[in-house]
Amino acid sequence: MNASFVPDDYFRTHSAAEIFGDGEVCEVDLGCGEGGFLSAMARRHPERLFLGVERLEGRAKIACRAAERAGLRNVRVLRIESRYFLEWFLKPGLITRLHYLFPDPWPKKKKHKKRLVQADFPPVLHRALAPGGEFLFKTDHREYFEWVNERMAGSGLFLRLEWSEDAFFYPKTDFQRQWEAKGREIFRARFRKADAA
């Protein structure tokens, strides 16, 4: 089994069936890194399809090898830039859950423009999510957490949901374990797509 998905054409939209060989929807780990969270979720939920998206080649290869060694047939890894992936690569309504965990917060003000979540991000996400689809976000950076919440709430396209620590199975990423070991507070937010834009 080859977990890597290399499309024949990056300049058209793709369906879940093209990526996985079957299925209509999938969950996405955006910025999946070396795939620890991705593989843990796929093992726990063999009935679901999981797509890891990673820009860096080295990390994407490690994530692929981890899925392949575990025999996870419900995992694919795609090397691509995150915003392009969400806006142009997928057919609309394909993602049931988008996991966005511990991204670079770009803390310096002059670098804020590099953040994925901007004022124009919620409409792009809304289009990519399936009906009732969710956006799950974690960070150790309070200011970026507040930034994301403001932009999601201001869009009017999403409902903020409760998310307690033990609400459902949700493995910790390597970054979360690293920050917790240093005593850093972890912030999390969960949003559900509203019915209509």
Side-chain angles (χ1 to χ4, degrees):
M1 182 207 77
N2 186 356
S4 176
F5 176 69
V6 180
D8 57 0
D9 184 354
Y10 281 87
F11 299 101
R12 65 174 178 83
T13 58
H14 295 75
S15 68
E18 288 176 284
I19 297 169
F20 294 92
D22 192 15
E24 297 179 359
V25 293
C26 65
E27 295 191 28
V28 171
D29 183 6
L30 197 64
C32 68
E34 296 180 357
F37 172 85
L38 181 70
S39 290
M41 287 291 284
R43 277 193 297 271
R44 181 66 173 252
H45 296 288
E47 76 285 1
R48 302 181 193 171
L49 301 175
F50 293 88
L51 178 61
V53 173
E54 177 55 54
R55 182 178 60 85
L56 299 176
E57 182 178 12
R59 289 181 178 176
K61 286 182 176 179
I62 292 171
C64 284
R65 286 197 296 268
E68 289 162 6
R69 280 196 303 268
L72 297 172
R73 299 189 174 279
N74 58 336
V75 171
R76 295 292 181 274
V77 178
L78 170 66
R79 185 174 171 235
I80 196 170
E81 192 274 329
S82 294
R83 179 61 186 251
Y84 181 84
F85 165 77
L86 284 174
E87 194 161 6
W88 303 108
F89 190 82
L90 292 182
K91 290 188 175 177
L94 192 147
I95 303 172
T96 55
R97 270 184 167 180
L98 182 75
H99 308 277
Y100 191 46
L101 309 175
F102 300 94
D104 189 333
W106 300 104
K108 293 182 180 179
K109 192 169 184 178
K110 65 181 180 180
K111 298 287 188 178
H112 285 181
K113 62 187 177 184
K114 291 181 174 283
R115 292 173 170 176
L116 176 66
V117 180
Q118 303 288 343
D120 63 350
F121 173 78
V124 170
L125 177 61
H126 190 275
R127 180 175 177 269
L129 289 174
E134 296 184 2
F135 173 55
L136 296 96
F137 171 68
K138 278 189 179 185
T139 183
D140 65 302
H141 194 271
R142 181 185 292 275
E143 188 272 331
Y144 191 31
F145 177 74
E146 292 169 354
W147 168 287
V148 168
N149 275 288
E150 287 171 7
R151 280 144 189 82
M152 294 298 290
S155 73
L157 298 174
F158 292 87
L159 306 172
R160 177 85 183 266
L161 303 177
E162 291 294 322
W163 187 10
S164 62
E165 186 74 38
D166 59 352
F168 42 79
F169 176 76
Y170 211 78
K172 294 181 180 182
T173 67
D174 291 338
F175 278 122
Q176 180 168 349
R177 285 190 288 269
Q178 176 184 332
W179 298 137
E180 286 179 336
K182 294 182 178 180
R184 300 275 284 270
E185 185 176 2
I186 304 301
F187 305 97
R188 61 183 177 272
R190 179 183 172 204
F191 303 90
R192 177 176 294 152
K193 176 179 176 175
D195 290 339

